[in-house]
Amino acid sequence: MFALPGLVFFVCVVVVPFFYGFYLTLTDWNGMNPVKTFVGFSNYVVTLHDAAFWSSMWLTIKYVFFSVLLINVLAFLLAYLLTNGMKGQNVFRGGFFTPNLIGGVVLGFIWEFIFSRVLVSFGKGTGIALFTSSWLSDPTKAFWALVIVTVWQLTGYMMLIYIAGFTSMSHDVLEAASIDGATGWKRMRDIIMPLMVPSIVICTFFSLSRAFMVYDINLTLTKGGPYDTTRLVAMYVYDMAFKSRKYGVGQAEALFLFLLVAVVSIIQVQLGRSREVEA
Amino acid sequence: MKKNIAFLLVAALAITSAFANGKSEETASSAKEPAASITFLNSKGEVQVALEDLAKAYEKQTGNHVEIIACGTGEVPYTKVTTMYNSGNAPTISMLDQTDVYSLYKDYAVDLSNEKWVAQTNGSALTIDGKVYGFPFCIEGRGIIYNGAAIDKTLKHHVDLGTINSYSSFKSLLEQLRAAGMKNPVFLAKEDWSLGAHQLGFIYDTYDGTTAGSAKIINQLENGLDPLTYDRFNEFIKTFDLLSQYNYYQADPLGADYDEGAMLLADGTVAFWPNGSWAWPNLAEGGATTDQDFGFIPFFLGDDTSDFANTGIEAAATKVLMLDKVQASAGQQQAAKDFLNWLVFDPTAQKLLVTDANIIPAAKNNPNKPLDPLGQNIVTRMAEGKTYPSCFIAPSDHWSVIGAAMQKYLAGKSSKDDLAKSLSAYWVAQKTK
């Protein structure tokens, strides 16, 4: 009974659009045409042959891999440092969390300015070759610019979750461990890490799904450029549906993205769960 | 915890349903309002305030309400219209690009052939199969913008830019400027719409200077014409190479910043910027004033000094107003038609369009002269017959796909042959659709 309102919502905003979306993949609709011609599975065939889509997908996978890895390593370390009772740790926590409060669009614009103007004049002033030309005009550097900004944005958020994990950790266990002689790296590897697995699972899941679906930063930071080399898959799908006006194909490609994210997330959560331990 | 969530959901449901009720009542009541109340989707961000002023003036005179809806910056007008149509909320008047109207007119546009204003537009109204479907909102032109004072100051004598009328004379002017100390006199924007649609677009527009001609060459490209065998393409690349050779940002062409470029031209660090009349607000922000010597020279193609591409710049009616025939009531359609006639014939509207919205009206009966030098230059050129009205029609993703290919070429990451291949591949793929 209590589940009913939730269920209605779920059906309205998730199930119905999902199946309607699936229906659209079977048509040649362009978004405005009053008639939606049924074309069977040909949009899926187009998707399978769309080399640009798959290279964009591969780029996204690389982007997700590096972002998720860096975000979690950094967030974990920051949380570890900021729960050891160091002076002013609340200020630091606040500071590291702030980027997450700025919307991705604004963040992208700010960093676009930093990469294309601030760093360039810094590079020209100091003669450091790495910065004399805009990072956003080189495909490889633009890719890393995306990763850096994503990491900058999400690390603070994940850090909070890790901090919660650290503070809820039982002091008795840690104390017992040090009495038994577990110090330094050993204590981290054998005691802290296993106890932190629930936090790691949550953080990885969050950062994975956020990174896979990223659009705002991609749009405002690189606009997919230079020459469409940093178009992540969400932007590719949008372009296909709205710029090229092929809703069916765009929707079919979105479905592939959905499947990939679902599979990766399920595997990740399952793997993580199996490593959880009881304190 | 579970209880709380359930409570929240119930609360959320109650709130949204309340909203939903409110909304349905609202739409019900608006349907009862006099049909004269219409909506106008504006996709030209810089004239939003001016249009609101126009709507106010109109309401004051006639009592009819026109609501101006803004299409956000960065929002694609076509996408916005799509959303509005699909949510049953279509604007009575939509300001769109020509190519958008081409894909919509069959199902959605009101036939405007019998409107009084059509006679005033010199044939610039959007006409398909002999019927008028679009009101030309303004004239926009593009070529290479110059800063006359910067040229004269660098060379220490006055240069009559009318004598620059071919690729070679432009090249020698650039050489002189470099020798006289302006090392890189050109700013070349990296934006894909500028490179793909506005610059490469010259190869279609200069086929014979008409939109029909541009359609012809596009049709040939769709049928597999190799761009390398098309003179205009080769001439275009030659000029484009010249521009990039003198590009202020040649060390890092894709690091060029649009706003910075406007400033560079305004303060005379560079003398040329291939762009269009819409760049004036940017120049003004960069410090340019209306009494300064700014204007257009053609985007030179080849060395034939009598070629219309070398004597004139492209100037055509853009931003087409389309009237909705599907969701608008008959009364609303009539009100929208009245509004368009008011825009053309009412003296207040005529003045506001030019002085407030800063556009060049397509209607010839408008006596007001544009304030900014770029607009004035286009008006003068049109009077002298030194413009050509072609406005090529391309699929909606042309500017971004070809823009990316042009960026790659500009960055030196692809050759002319590669560019020609991308261009050909794009058009051939359109054919098979």
Side-chain angles (χ1 to χ4, degrees):
Chain A
M1 182 56 205
F2 271 126
L4 192 64
L7 198 67
V8 170
F9 260 111
F10 185 72
V11 170
C12 287
V13 303
V14 178
V15 179
V16 171
F18 187 85
F19 281 102
Y20 183 64
F22 178 70
Y23 159 69
L24 285 183
T25 65
L26 306 176
T27 68
D28 69 345
W29 197 43
N30 67 2
M32 279 301 273
N33 218 327
V35 191
K36 302 185 182 77
T37 319
F38 187 79
V39 294
F41 285 90
S42 70
N43 286 332
Y44 291 91
V45 178
V46 172
T47 303
L48 289 175
H49 289 105
D50 187 352
F53 170 70
W54 294 107
S55 79
S56 166
M57 186 71 110
W58 175 236
L59 184 82
T60 311
I61 292 172
K62 277 197 287 185
Y63 162 81
V64 169
F65 174 78
F66 288 115
S67 305
V68 170
L69 191 72
L70 289 171
I71 287 169
N72 286 285
V73 169
L74 276 176
F76 189 87
L77 290 177
L78 285 175
Y80 184 66
L81 290 175
L82 295 178
T83 46
N84 277 350
M86 74 183 277
K87 222 175 161 188
Q89 64 181 13
N90 280 334
V91 178
F92 282 111
R93 285 183 192 178
F96 285 120
F97 183 67
T98 311
N100 193 62
L101 297 176
I102 311 171
V105 173
V106 180
L107 206 68
F109 278 127
I110 296 173
W111 278 91
E112 200 249 322
F113 181 74
I114 294 178
F115 278 118
S116 61
R117 301 280 278 273
V118 179
L119 286 181
V120 174
S121 53
F122 170 76
K124 280 182 180 150
T126 56
I128 300 174
L130 184 61
F131 297 118
T132 43
S133 62
S134 169
W135 274 37
L136 303 179
S137 61
D138 177 87
T140 320
K141 286 187 200 153
F143 171 79
W144 285 104
L146 272 178
V147 173
I148 289 171
V149 177
T150 312
V151 170
W152 193 73
Q153 184 192 23
L154 289 183
T155 300
Y157 184 32
M158 300 307 150
M159 177 193 75
L160 278 195
I161 300 176
Y162 282 123
I163 286 178
F166 276 118
T167 44
S168 66
M169 202 180 284
S170 158
H171 281 273
D172 301 353
V173 179
L174 292 181
E175 223 171 86
S178 15
I179 293 169
D180 288 344
T183 48
W185 173 239
K186 209 169 160 48
R187 189 173 89 130
M188 172 63 93
R189 197 192 58 191
D190 293 337
I191 312 293
I192 297 180
M193 291 287 257
L195 287 175
M196 285 295 283
V197 167
S199 305
I200 296 176
V201 172
I202 294 174
C203 285
T204 319
F205 175 74
F206 271 143
S207 44
L208 258 181
S209 50
R210 287 278 294 266
F212 260 118
M213 299 300 179
V214 74
Y215 180 75
D216 44 7
I217 293 180
N218 196 190
L219 180 72
T220 51
L221 185 67
T222 68
K223 295 184 190 71
Y227 43 90
D228 288 349
T229 49
T230 61
R231 225 163 19 152
L232 297 177
V233 72
M235 182 181 260
Y236 188 87
V237 168
Y238 175 90
D239 285 357
M240 183 54 83
F242 294 98
K243 270 194 201 157
S244 304
R245 296 180 196 169
K246 287 184 246 173
Y247 273 57
V249 180
Q251 190 69 37
E253 292 178 342
L255 210 65
F256 276 98
L257 175 62
F258 163 77
L259 285 178
L260 179 75
V261 178
V263 169
V264 171
S265 305
I266 291 170
I267 292 175
Q268 178 257 326
V269 171
Q270 289 303 330
L271 274 182
R273 280 271 165 80
S274 66
R275 283 165 179 268
E276 279 183 24
V277 291
E278 290 289 326
Chain B
M1 187 67 193
K2 260 192 179 152
K3 240 182 187 171
N4 282 340
I5 290 177
F7 173 75
L8 273 177
L9 284 174
V10 172
L13 187 69
I15 291 169
T16 35
S17 54
F19 269 117
N21 281 340
K23 206 163 184 194
S24 56
E25 274 160 25
E26 204 177 87
T27 39
S29 67
S30 71
K32 270 178 236 151
E33 269 175 40
S37 180
I38 57 171
T39 51
F40 182 115
L41 176 73
N42 169 34
S43 60
K44 208 168 150 55
E46 64 272 24
V47 300
Q48 177 68 19
V49 179
L51 278 178
E52 283 164 11
D53 292 347
L54 272 165
K56 260 183 234 153
Y58 183 63
E59 191 167 357
K60 213 170 157 191
Q61 277 187 29
T62 63
N64 291 335
H65 182 68
V66 183
E67 189 189 339
I68 311 289
I69 302 165
C71 177
T73 351
E75 212 172 352
V76 181
Y78 184 85
T79 314
K80 175 99 179 172
V81 165
T82 311
T83 322
M84 293 181 80
Y85 265 98
N86 285 317
S87 57
N89 207 354
T92 327
I93 305 176
S94 316
M95 184 193 290
L96 293 166
D97 289 324
Q98 294 209 3
T99 152
D100 300 331
V101 179
Y102 269 87
S103 57
L104 294 178
Y105 79 95
K106 260 201 196 113
D107 301 309
Y108 298 100
V110 174
D111 179 0
L112 300 171
S113 310
N114 299 321
E115 292 304 301
K116 203 173 138 203
W117 53 260
V118 174
Q120 300 296 335
T121 51
N122 291 329
S124 63
L126 184 73
T127 312
I128 306 169
D129 297 334
K131 283 183 183 164
V132 175
Y133 288 104
F135 174 94
F137 182 71
C138 58
I139 304 272
E140 290 179 317
R142 62 183 212 274
I144 299 176
I145 304 174
Y146 64 77
N147 177 342
I151 299 168
D152 294 353
K153 201 177 146 204
T154 309
L155 297 178
K156 298 192 177 65
H157 64 87
H158 178 68
V159 178
D160 176 10
L161 287 165
T163 60
I164 311 298
N165 53 9
S166 66
Y167 167 83
S168 297
S169 55
F170 184 50
K171 186 171 179 222
S172 94
L173 178 64
L174 289 173
E175 281 162 0
Q176 286 171 40
L177 284 166
R178 179 172 278 183
M182 190 186 277
K183 210 177 143 231
N184 293 304
V186 177
F187 168 67
L188 210 48
K190 65 155 195 293
E191 271 64 21
D192 46 6
W193 53 262
S194 175
L195 293 168
H198 294 154
Q199 295 185 50
L200 186 108
F202 283 118
I203 70 167
Y204 316 123
D205 282 332
T206 56
Y207 179 76
D208 65 3
T210 65
T211 306
S214 72
K216 258 185 224 157
I217 184 62
I218 284 173
N219 186 267
Q220 289 178 29
L221 287 166
E222 284 180 344
N223 286 311
L225 173 78
D226 181 358
L228 292 170
T229 61
Y230 174 44
D231 287 345
R232 290 298 195 195
F233 178 77
N234 293 317
E235 289 165 353
F236 166 78
I237 291 295
K238 220 173 144 194
T239 307
F240 187 76
D241 285 346
L242 179 69
L243 291 168
S244 31
Q245 200 187 328
Y246 286 89
N247 182 8
Y248 185 81
Y249 282 97
Q250 59 177 288
D252 183 18
L254 298 185
D257 184 276
Y258 193 84
D259 295 323
E260 202 184 345
M263 269 188 279
L264 292 171
L265 184 71
D267 70 17
T269 311
V270 300
F272 300 105
W273 183 16
N275 208 341
S277 46
W278 48 85
W280 179 254
N282 303 86
L283 288 173
E285 253 171 53
T289 50
T290 47
D291 56 340
Q292 287 172 323
D293 181 18
F294 289 95
F296 288 100
I297 52 172
F299 193 102
F300 301 106
L301 296 172
D303 270 333
D304 179 358
T305 51
S306 62
D307 188 341
F308 69 91
N310 290 335
T311 54
I313 67 164
E314 188 272 351
T318 55
K319 296 292 172 190
V320 179
L321 305 186
M322 181 189 102
L323 266 52
D324 169 50
K325 73 170 176 193
V326 180
Q327 294 179 18
S329 65
Q332 281 174 320
Q333 290 178 25
Q334 190 51 50
K337 286 179 182 171
D338 293 345
F339 182 64
L340 295 187
N341 272 319
W342 181 78
L343 282 180
V344 172
F345 294 106
D346 184 85
T348 322
Q350 288 177 339
K351 190 158 172 21
L352 279 175
L353 275 176
V354 177
T355 56
D356 205 16
N358 244 321
I359 60 155
I360 308 167
K364 62 184 171 193
N365 65 335
N366 193 322
N368 301 286
K369 291 270 168 292
L371 297 174
D372 75 76
L374 297 184
Q376 283 165 7
N377 188 265
I378 290 175
V379 170
T380 317
R381 281 179 165 278
M382 281 172 75
E384 291 168 355
K386 287 181 179 168
T387 59
Y388 50 92
S390 171
C391 188
F392 72 94
I393 308 288
S396 55
D397 57 355
H398 173 269
W399 60 272
S400 81
V401 175
I402 300 303
M406 284 290 292
Q407 284 177 335
K408 204 168 176 182
Y409 180 72
L410 175 63
K413 298 282 159 61
S414 69
S415 66
K416 181 180 168 186
D417 288 7
D418 296 333
L419 179 63
K421 272 194 199 108
S422 310
L423 188 65
S424 179
Y426 176 82
W427 284 115
V428 170
Q430 305 305 315
K431 171 82 180 171
T432 55
K433 258 180 210 168

